[in-house]
Amino acid sequence: MTTLTLQPSGKTFEFEAGANLLQTILAAGEQLISKCGGNAKCGACHVFLKEGRKGASKLTPDENAKLDAIVGVSSKSRLACQVTLLGTEPVTVELLGAMSGF
């Protein structure tokens, strides 16, 4: 097991390798909107992967296409619904204000 840290709350908790990032965030009690059921269609679960990029699965073509259509995307942008946490290193994710229910 390794850790996931959520910003801006600073919550840190452990997760199992192979866990879905969106489901892990929701299980931790954080709010993160997902309107498409985790199919990379809505972009509402857009987060910034701040640290531990090697601890997350690679960008898929569907995720890349959706990110291309979102305003405010950076090289650290990911869709939480499409990220598998590999468990190889700690990961830090920034939840984005409007989309995270804050």
Side-chain angles (χ1 to χ4, degrees):
M1 291 183 93
T2 190
T3 59
L4 174 64
T5 301
L6 302 177
Q7 294 178 345
S9 71
K11 287 184 183 177
T12 298
F13 49 94
E14 293 185 340
F15 64 87
E16 294 284 337
N20 174 271
L21 178 58
L22 175 61
Q23 295 306 317
T24 303
I25 291 169
L26 296 175
E30 293 287 330
Q31 293 183 342
L32 188 61
I33 297 168
S34 175
K35 299 175 183 176
C36 68
N39 294 309
K41 301 287 183 204
C42 70
C45 65
H46 175 217
V47 297
F48 289 143
L49 187 58
K50 303 293 273 185
E51 295 178 15
R53 295 177 83 173
K54 291 183 180 179
S57 59
K58 294 184 181 196
L59 203 65
T60 65
D62 287 342
E63 181 181 9
N64 193 44
K66 179 41 87 180
L67 287 170
D68 281 346
I70 297 174
V71 175
V73 170
S74 80
S75 63
K76 296 181 182 202
S77 290
R78 294 296 305 265
L79 298 179
C81 70
Q82 298 299 297
V83 176
T84 299
L85 297 167
L86 304 176
T88 56
E89 66 182 18
V91 174
T92 300
V93 174
E94 181 180 352
L95 303 180
L96 304 173
M99 294 309 202
S100 62
F102 292 109

